[in-house]
Amino acid sequence: MYRTLRWQCLGYDDMKAEAEAQIGLSAVQMTGMPHGSGTSDTTGNQALKHMAKMSIVSNIDKALTKACEDVPTRKALKENIIHGTPFNYLDAYCGINQFYEMRRRFFYHLAIYMGLLENE
């Protein structure tokens, strides 16, 4: 479960950029050329992909907010989780034990938001 959540976090920047690029949904272009026999809703598929990516990005942001109330430390936590920057290179305004406790809390809340755990 941790690895799944970790890989979602590592793709945060890409998902956010792709979701922002997909804001304007395109329709099917009528070129008169034959195409596959399947009936698909490309605009609907794009909208679903956009919503899935924005949901993951939103869940990560909510879990960060829930795990850490201090804004500068939250930025350091985000840098650690999203980019893998070690604690020693961060401007976290707390000790290493408190930082990793916030990190554990983040992944706990993210697992709840993603539906992998029940709220206990």
Side-chain angles (χ1 to χ4, degrees):
M1 183 182 334
Y2 170 76
R3 287 183 182 161
T4 302
L5 296 173
R6 182 77 178 118
W7 280 105
Q8 294 287 336
C9 292
L10 290 175
Y12 176 88
D13 289 335
D14 294 334
M15 281 188 282
K16 191 168 186 176
E18 288 174 14
E20 288 173 357
Q22 288 180 346
I23 287 177
L25 299 174
S26 62
V28 177
Q29 295 179 354
M30 302 304 275
T31 61
M33 297 297 294
H35 55 279
S37 61
T39 57
S40 67
D41 183 10
T42 55
T43 306
N45 291 341
Q46 282 184 341
L48 289 175
K49 287 178 186 176
H50 173 74
M51 288 178 57
K53 289 175 184 175
M54 286 309 294
S55 173
I56 293 169
V57 168
S58 171
N59 286 337
I60 291 172
D61 289 336
K62 285 192 302 188
L64 276 167
T65 304
K66 189 89 169 180
C68 180
E69 296 175 5
D70 184 35
V71 175
T73 306
R74 186 182 316 141
K75 288 180 182 179
L77 182 63
K78 185 176 182 178
E79 181 71 24
N80 175 264
I81 290 168
I82 306 289
H83 300 121
T85 306
F87 175 79
N88 299 338
Y89 297 104
L90 296 172
D91 291 329
Y93 298 100
C94 62
I96 192 166
N97 291 336
Q98 292 89 1
F99 182 81
Y100 282 106
E101 177 61 33
M102 282 186 278
R103 183 181 157 90
R104 282 188 290 276
R105 217 175 312 136
F106 164 79
F107 280 109
Y108 171 74
H109 289 298
L110 184 60
I112 290 173
Y113 292 143
M114 294 288 208
L116 300 175
L117 281 179
E118 291 183 19
N119 195 358
E120 298 174 2

